[in-house]
Amino acid sequence: MSGGHLTPDNQDPVPRELGSNLPTSVTLGQVVLWCGRPDARVVFMPADLVLIPFTVLWSGLAILIGVVALNGGSRMPTGIAISIIVVVGLFGLYLFVGRFVVKAMLNAKTSFVVTASDAIVARGRTITRFPLHQHAVEITRTRRGGHATVYFGDSSGGGMDVGNLGLDFLAPKYGQRMRSRIWKAHDMAFYNVADVAGLMDSFRRAGVLTS
């Protein structure tokens, strides 16, 4: 089950498969209109169309420089050349494989909740809330309409959205500097929701403006 919705009279608003991921304080005293989680079948995000080719280009160039240095084609010390190859190789491996594993692990413990007043993302012990009636909600659907990604709040930057890429560790240190030039970021988002009808119905019942 990818999502659930209910009536205000329901005494058990959170489906069992999601309840284990949600601390009791998340929905305490609130009417839950819908809840769900990211669809694990969706692997790639739109930003991957740029990120993967860039990674190939950047990794290949860096490794080539290191190999040339090892073969005596430059004055770079051998130790530095080996270090470049190892570091770039490991980071490239993470970008190609590791981040998808990390993203799958994070999404497995992520739950989305819509109440009459808030949108909530619960990931382990980290709870993020967004008041639904302060800003419009932006919804992006796939071409076939099978999934939806919902953005909450104002976006910063004018580039491509790079959320849900398994690169969360970059955000605290580099996020603000890079957003203005390379990507855009939102206050919060529901990524790759399969239960589009249930989610849209919850927004309608909450009286939320969507765009």
Side-chain angles (χ1 to χ4, degrees):
M1 181 177 179
S2 58
H5 43 103
L6 45 115
T7 64
D9 297 328
N10 196 315
Q11 298 300 312
D12 184 20
V14 181
R16 291 181 180 179
E17 63 268 31
L18 295 179
S20 60
N21 288 340
L22 292 174
T24 54
S25 60
V26 172
T27 57
L28 186 63
Q30 299 192 62
V31 176
V32 177
L33 303 179
W34 177 89
C35 50
R37 60 172 40 142
D39 190 342
R41 297 171 298 177
V42 180
V43 177
F44 298 105
M45 297 294 292
D48 283 313
L49 295 175
V50 174
L51 184 59
I52 291 176
F54 171 78
T55 302
V56 173
L57 209 65
W58 174 75
S59 299
L61 181 61
I63 291 175
L64 177 62
I65 293 174
V67 171
V68 169
L70 284 177
N71 291 330
S74 73
R75 297 180 179 179
M76 183 183 299
T78 302
I80 295 179
I82 294 176
S83 298
I84 290 176
I85 294 175
V86 171
V87 171
V88 171
L90 290 176
F91 189 63
L93 184 63
Y94 179 81
L95 290 179
F96 280 122
V97 181
R99 67 185 179 89
F100 293 105
V101 176
V102 170
K103 183 173 75 170
M105 293 173 61
L106 291 175
N107 285 344
K109 59 180 182 180
T110 297
S111 300
F112 304 139
V113 179
V114 177
T115 72
S117 59
D118 298 325
I120 303 169
V121 174
R123 176 177 285 176
R125 296 182 179 180
T126 302
I127 310 299
T128 305
R129 295 176 181 269
F130 183 82
L132 286 173
H133 301 285
Q134 289 188 1
H135 302 277
V137 175
E138 178 185 346
I139 300 177
T140 301
R141 300 192 188 189
T142 57
R143 291 183 179 180
R144 297 182 180 180
H147 293 82
T149 292
V150 185
Y151 301 104
F152 302 94
D154 299 326
S155 63
S156 59
M160 182 178 295
D161 177 73
V162 292
N164 198 36
L165 290 176
L167 298 174
D168 301 58
F169 62 91
L170 290 177
K173 186 174 182 179
Y174 300 106
Q176 294 298 329
R177 183 181 65 183
M178 298 181 71
R179 283 174 187 168
S180 62
R181 299 179 181 180
I182 300 175
W183 60 54
K184 65 180 180 181
H186 293 76
D187 294 333
M188 194 177 78
F190 290 176
Y191 289 103
N192 302 324
V193 175
D195 182 23
V196 179
L199 178 61
M200 294 299 294
D201 180 63
S202 70
F203 287 148
R204 179 188 59 80
R205 294 167 62 192
V208 175
L209 295 175
T210 59
S211 60

